Amino acid sequence: MEIRGRWWNGSWGRMARRDIWLLSDGRLWRVRGRRGGDGGQEVSYDFADEASAARSMIDRMMKTSAGTWRDLTEAIRQEANRRQTH
């Protein structure tokens, strides 16, 4: 699956950190959330479409978690492109 979106709540540490990924293989859309950084507790939800279902889940996850959410999608894409060209 390819990363289509990536968000972080701007907090560090096992208790406060939250991460969200939007992944897709072209048919299936998966929203993956993690609480607590590497090795933290993860959940994932699968959806048939991006617009109504997957994006709504991402919005709900952000609204129920503290922090200042940051969209890291473009930074992740740039890093992936940099790695491909080197």
Side-chain angles (χ1 to χ4, degrees):
M1 295 193 111
E2 179 182 331
I3 296 175
R4 302 292 180 95
R6 171 76 168 83
W7 299 267
W8 169 52
N9 72 341
S11 297
W12 297 97
R14 291 191 62 75
M15 298 303 289
R17 184 179 179 118
R18 304 288 185 269
D19 296 278
I20 299 172
W21 293 264
L22 175 63
L23 307 129
S24 181
D25 63 3
R27 292 181 305 105
L28 178 73
W29 292 86
R30 178 170 291 155
V31 175
R32 195 174 106 211
R34 183 172 61 204
R35 178 172 39 185
D38 289 344
Q41 181 182 14
E42 289 194 16
V43 296
S44 66
Y45 305 93
D46 292 340
F47 302 95
D49 65 273
E50 173 190 13
S52 64
R55 292 286 177 170
S56 293
M57 177 56 75
I58 291 167
D59 289 343
R60 280 193 301 263
M61 291 170 83
M62 287 183 186
K63 286 177 184 172
T64 59
S65 296
T68 304
W69 284 93
R70 298 174 180 154
D71 187 342
L72 304 177
T73 306
E74 189 58 35
I76 296 297
R77 285 188 184 134
Q78 289 176 3
E79 178 65 17
N81 289 338
R82 186 188 66 77
R83 288 181 181 185
Q84 288 177 353
T85 59
H86 288 95

